[in-house]
Structures are given as structure tokens and as C-alpha cells.
Amino acid sequence: QANYCKVHTPSGWKRMGDIRVGDYVTAFDGSSVKVLGVFPQGKQQQYRVTFCDGRSTEAGGAHLWEVHNKYWRQKWKAGRSAAGTAKPRVMTTLELKAWIERPAKKKQFAPTSVPLCAPVPKPFNKLIIDPYALGLLIGDGSFTRNSVTFTSADHILCMWLESAVSGFGCEIVSQGNRQLDFRLRNVGELRNALMVLGLHGHTSHTKFIPRDYLEGSVDQRWELMRGLMDTDGTSSPALSYSTSSKRLADNVCEVVRSLGGIAKIGTKVPTYTHRGEKRTGAISYKVNIRHPEPRKFFRLPRKLNALPETYQYADQLKLAVKSIEPTTVEESTCILIDHPRHLYNTDDYIVTHNTVYAIIDELAKALCG
């Protein structure tokens, strides 16, 4: 890969060109594995590999990928075809490009995919506001002025929010005639915390997730997602999150992908009628989510109850390749990691394969018995 491509390590992201022998990187299954070899490749033509949910990375033509297609079948030793589990193949970027651009045959018209990562471990961050509470406030809270308000028909969310911010001395009281509007009293310390995070004063169109929360531990990111999804998320007929902030939609995608899911943004321009005149509203961003464990996205009972106990397609969920296009010629490096499947996490939590030397090493071991 190009030296500027990112590789995830136990301490965070690192440029490919800065990886050294003996460093540890994050394998696709969440384990930390040692780098056994670093091989500078000089200037190489790079290709932009784009996936079904919009994420992408760059890789050289000889870079390797573990590729899945449900119509590939394992072969019996006798040479007979077995209608069993599809066996993945290891392909170079150029081989993969030729494969996805081939004229489709009747039984090969299926997505060609790479594996999804497991939830990616990160260090536990000391967060100024509880991550679940921040998710609730970003979703249904307002903090544009000196006051902090919360709007929800689910009173249990108000109870959970009050409990989570009680350390700031806050309490929640009803506001106005509606049973949906609440105000937090004694919000001085909470408002200061929102200022520290850079969120105070932001409207629904400009809200975002602070970087410390995007890089929190697995448990912290799950709690953040539950707060967001309990407010502005849906569980039926499919997982999704809606917001009028493009930045927030991008942030939600990043969190979902870091937790081993697929997240794709769709847009909608709503219309409404005002005094007989049809008008156009602000763009709405909908993050469509797929994940092997959808029930982990909620704490709210009514949304949890809309989901099955088990997700029948959990084992089949993978990230489909959409396109591969040449970009620029860049200084490049490949690495060898100490993992049986040789898969690590690169840009935007995309799972990719390490150097071809791993294949040579495995063949050598097989020949030696």
C-alpha cells in the first residue's frame, strides 16, 4: 500500500510508511499481532478500491486481498465439486479488478466481498461526559444557549439521562404543556463540559461526535451508539440512524465500521406545505446499518423488542467490492504480520491481506512437510 495509507495498531492509527519490524498491528479479529517483516516497494501504481458502503482505500496492483464469493465451492481431493461452504481466495488488486469487471455468468452474478473486522480494540478513554448520555444529548438534546433541554416521548430515556449526568449536579424537570419537553436544571458544569467538547452552541444541522468518543474503547463506542440509536435510530424494518448533520452522519458511519458493521449514507430532501405553498426542507441524512449483532445497538425496550434474538445472516455479512480504479504512483510498502490469516485493518476499518511473502512461506512449510 502507499506509505500514507493507515494501519490500525493497539495505540491507534499509524501510516504504512512508519510501520517497523517488531511493531504491533490490529488483526481483523481484534488481536494484536507482531510485524515480522517490512518490505519497501519503491514507487508503485496505486488503485482506489471502493466498497459498497462508500469507504475506500488505496493499494498497489500486487497487493493481496482475501476475497469471498458465495458461488465458489470447495473441491474434493478427487476433483469433484462439493456444494459446501464457499472457500475464499487470495487475489491481487489487479486480479480482483479483472474479476469484478468480467462479463457476469449466470451463476457468478453475486457480490465479491472482503471480511468485516471484529470490533476494533482501542484504549479506554477518560471521557468528560458518559458516552451513553452524550449519545442521548446529541440525538434529542438542545444546547445552543445557556439552557440544556431534552425532547423525548420515552420517559425512561429521561431517567437514564438524569442518572448519567447526576455527577454534574443536574436534574430533569418537565417544561411547557407537552409531555415531551424537558429541561435540565443546574447545568453549569454540564454546559462547561459541552463547551470543552466543542459541542455547545451547535444546532441539529452541525452536531458531531468528538474525536475522543470516536476513539473510545469498544464498550464506550457501543454505549455511545446506544444513546444515538435510542433517540434518532430505528430498529424496524432495518437498522438506521437519521440526522440533518452531514458531519454527524459521517461520524456515525465511522463508529459503526469500527464495531464491525456496514454503514452507508443516503440523502433525502423533504418537502412540506406552508400556507398553501410547497417548500423544500433541509437535507436529511440517513445512515443505513448492517451488523452481525443488531441488538447491541439499543437499550430502549420498545426498539429492542422489534429485533430478533439472533440475526440469521450474521455469518454471511461481508463488505462487497464496488469498483477498483487507478489513481497515482506513490512510494509503497508491504508488511508481513504474525497471524494465520494474515489480515489487518487499513483505512476506514477495511480488512486487507499482508504481503505475498506470507503465501510463499506457507507453501514452503507445506513442501517441507
Side-chain angles (χ1 to χ4, degrees):
Q1 290 188 277
N3 285 350
Y4 52 70
C5 289
K6 293 186 294 183
V7 178
H8 197 274
T9 76
S11 59
W13 293 102
K14 198 170 184 178
R15 292 172 69 255
M16 171 62 82
D18 296 332
I19 299 291
R20 300 290 181 263
V21 174
D23 287 352
Y24 280 81
V25 302
T26 308
F28 87 109
D29 57 7
S31 61
S32 296
V33 295
K34 185 180 287 188
V35 176
L36 301 178
V38 175
F39 308 94
Q41 299 296 302
K43 291 189 175 182
Q44 297 284 330
Q45 174 67 55
Q46 295 294 300
Y47 294 83
R48 171 68 58 182
V49 184
T50 303
F51 296 87
C52 62
D53 64 353
R55 68 181 111 173
S56 65
T57 188
E58 291 192 12
H63 182 73
L64 299 179
W65 302 85
E66 182 185 286
V67 183
H68 297 249
N69 187 295
K70 70 177 182 180
Y71 289 113
W72 295 339
R73 301 303 182 196
Q74 294 184 19
K75 302 291 185 179
W76 294 103
K77 288 183 180 180
R80 293 175 297 169
S81 176
T85 303
K87 186 178 181 179
R89 301 178 183 179
V90 176
M91 287 181 160
T92 67
T93 303
L94 287 178
E95 289 171 338
L96 180 56
K97 177 177 170 62
W99 174 262
I100 65 172
E101 293 175 355
R102 77 204 184 286
K105 295 181 180 179
K106 184 177 180 181
K107 287 193 174 182
Q108 292 179 338
F109 194 73
T112 301
S113 310
V114 301
L116 290 168
C117 64
V120 175
K122 297 177 185 285
F124 180 86
N125 277 344
K126 187 176 181 180
L127 301 175
I128 192 170
I129 298 176
D130 174 83
Y132 180 75
L134 187 68
L136 293 178
L137 288 170
I138 290 174
D140 281 346
S142 175
F143 31 80
T144 56
R145 299 180 181 178
N146 289 333
S147 62
V148 177
T149 60
F150 187 70
T151 302
S152 178
D154 296 292
H155 287 199
I156 191 171
L157 295 184
C158 298
M159 294 171 54
W160 289 340
L161 176 61
E162 184 175 48
S163 175
V165 299
S166 60
F168 293 101
C170 301
E171 59 177 345
I172 293 183
V173 295
S174 295
Q175 173 176 276
N177 297 324
R178 298 197 314 163
Q179 297 298 310
L180 311 177
D181 299 326
F182 300 87
R183 179 172 60 87
L184 278 74
R185 292 198 301 202
N186 304 320
V187 295
E189 291 187 21
L190 177 61
R191 186 175 62 247
N192 290 341
L194 291 167
M195 288 179 177
V196 169
L197 295 173
L199 281 168
H200 187 264
H202 280 271
T203 67
S204 59
H205 302 289
T206 62
K207 287 180 179 179
F208 64 94
I209 300 173
R211 177 50 53 181
D212 283 352
Y213 289 78
L214 294 172
E215 295 293 339
S217 69
V218 171
D219 287 342
Q220 288 175 322
R221 280 175 279 140
W222 272 124
E223 283 297 289
L224 172 68
M225 278 306 309
R226 291 182 188 113
L228 292 166
M229 294 293 284
D230 279 351
T231 50
D232 286 339
T234 61
S235 58
S236 179
L239 297 185
S240 67
Y241 182 81
S242 296
T243 175
S244 54
S245 167
K246 176 60 166 61
R247 185 178 177 184
L248 178 55
D250 288 336
N251 292 158
V252 169
C253 284
E254 181 176 344
V255 178
V256 172
R257 293 166 183 173
S258 77
L259 293 171
I262 296 172
K264 183 177 181 179
I265 299 176
T267 59
K268 180 181 179 181
V269 179
T271 58
Y272 62 97
T273 302
H274 178 70
R275 295 181 178 179
E277 179 186 355
K278 188 174 183 180
R279 296 186 178 183
T280 300
I283 296 177
S284 174
Y285 301 92
K286 182 179 180 181
V287 183
N288 297 294
I289 300 168
R290 299 176 67 197
H291 194 278
E293 299 179 279
R295 291 181 64 86
K296 283 193 171 184
F297 282 81
F298 299 97
R299 186 192 291 186
L300 189 63
R302 69 174 178 85
K303 293 186 178 181
L304 269 175
N305 293 338
L307 291 166
E309 288 294 331
T310 58
Y311 180 50
Q312 60 177 331
Y313 302 113
D315 294 337
Q316 302 174 31
L317 192 59
K318 293 178 176 63
L319 186 63
V321 183
K322 182 180 179 182
S323 64
I324 300 177
E325 300 293 339
T327 55
T328 57
V329 176
E330 302 289 347
E331 289 288 340
S332 305
T333 301
C334 58
I335 60 174
L336 174 64
I337 65 171
D338 188 16
H339 190 278
R341 282 178 67 179
H342 304 288
L343 303 178
Y344 65 92
N345 296 309
T346 187
D347 300 297
D348 220 347
Y349 305 99
I350 294 167
V351 172
T352 193
H353 199 287
N354 67 182
T355 176
V356 69
Y357 292 112
I359 308 297
I360 296 172
D361 184 56
E362 289 176 357
L363 288 173
K365 289 178 180 177
L367 290 173
C368 293

